[in-house]
Amino acid sequence: MTEQLLLPSFYLPNVSYFQAIYQHKGSICIEQHEHFPKQTYRTRTRIGTANGGLDLIVPIVHGKKMHVPVKDIRINYDHPWQRLHWLSIETAYRSSAYFEYYEDDFNRFYTEQFEFLLDYNMAQLELLLKLLKINREVILSESFMKNIDAAIDWRKDAKPQKPSLMTDPNPYYQVFEDKTGFVPDLSIIDLLFNQGPQSRSYL
């Protein structure tokens, strides 16, 4: 029996996140009971721009409690971050080969308001798996899992401050590679907008 791959919930996850999903043939479990960790990809994604990688961060509502489960984290709409994120994405990828092909699929994430971060991230994950034609069972954790095989637990290893977990980051065409060189392990939308239907083969 193939073991589950335990993943955190990410905002527009990076390429290595989907490489792990694609190469793992079992079910995928998304951790929803962990205490929300700061400065991680749970609220952050990185896209490719003319100046290199640009971080886009989803603001959250900060409560008085220090330890809040990921499933209870609410998105903050006090500032127009959705419009700013979408403008950044458009600026970065409008000239890419497949942006117009996928544009309508992603625009809803910058016009609709999701109350909870987990729901927002899960809706993106569902769409991305569909576009990449990756058929995997995805479930949410029923409780926080402490004892699990470290080889399939990505909760602590996939962080902006750590080296990428991506194996064999072969270059693919990027819009601004003439200026910045190839930038590995950006958000999966970088691969999707540049490579389109060939994205799964890259994984």
Side-chain angles (χ1 to χ4, degrees), residues 108-137:
R108 65 172 290 236
F109 295 110
Y110 302 94
T111 54
E112 299 177 21
Q113 290 192 358
F114 291 71
E115 181 178 3
F116 291 98
L117 176 68
L118 180 65
D119 294 337
Y120 187 59
N121 289 352
M122 290 299 291
Q124 293 173 1
L125 178 60
E126 180 181 358
L127 170 65
L128 287 161
L129 290 174
K130 177 182 177 181
L131 296 179
L132 292 165
K133 294 182 170 57
I134 300 176
N135 184 21
R136 295 288 185 276
E137 178 188 19

Side-chain angles (χ1 to χ4, degrees), residues 7-9 17 28-32 122 125 138-141:
L7 294 172
S9 167
Y17 188 98
I28 309 301
C29 182
I30 303 298
E31 175 63 77
Q32 65 170 338
M122 290 299 291
L125 178 60
V138 179
I139 62 174
L140 292 171
S141 61

Side-chain angles (χ1 to χ4, degrees), residues 2-62:
T2 304
E3 293 181 285
Q4 287 181 336
L5 174 64
L6 181 59
L7 294 172
S9 167
F10 281 1
Y11 168 46
L12 293 179
N14 46 15
V15 174
S16 59
Y17 188 98
F18 283 93
Q19 186 181 60
I21 291 176
Y22 183 67
Q23 294 179 359
H24 182 81
K25 303 307 179 185
S27 62
I28 309 301
C29 182
I30 303 298
E31 175 63 77
Q32 65 170 338
H33 291 281
E34 64 178 351
H35 290 153
F36 177 75
K38 298 178 181 179
Q39 298 182 339
T40 68
Y41 288 120
R42 289 155 184 81
T43 55
R44 177 190 309 244
T45 194
R46 180 169 292 175
I47 62 174
T49 73
N51 296 315
L54 173 68
D55 285 348
L56 303 178
I57 301 173
V58 178
I60 61 172
V61 177
H62 293 279

Side-chain angles (χ1 to χ4, degrees), residues 13-19 166 185-188 191 202-203:
N14 46 15
V15 174
S16 59
Y17 188 98
F18 283 93
Q19 186 181 60
M166 191 171 182
D185 209 16
L186 295 172
S187 169
I188 189 67
L191 178 64
Y202 179 83
L203 299 177

Side-chain angles (χ1 to χ4, degrees), residues 58-75:
V58 178
I60 61 172
V61 177
H62 293 279
K64 295 181 180 179
K65 296 180 179 179
M66 294 296 292
H67 300 297
V68 180
V70 165
K71 67 181 182 66
D72 295 330
I73 295 294
R74 286 178 164 83
I75 299 175

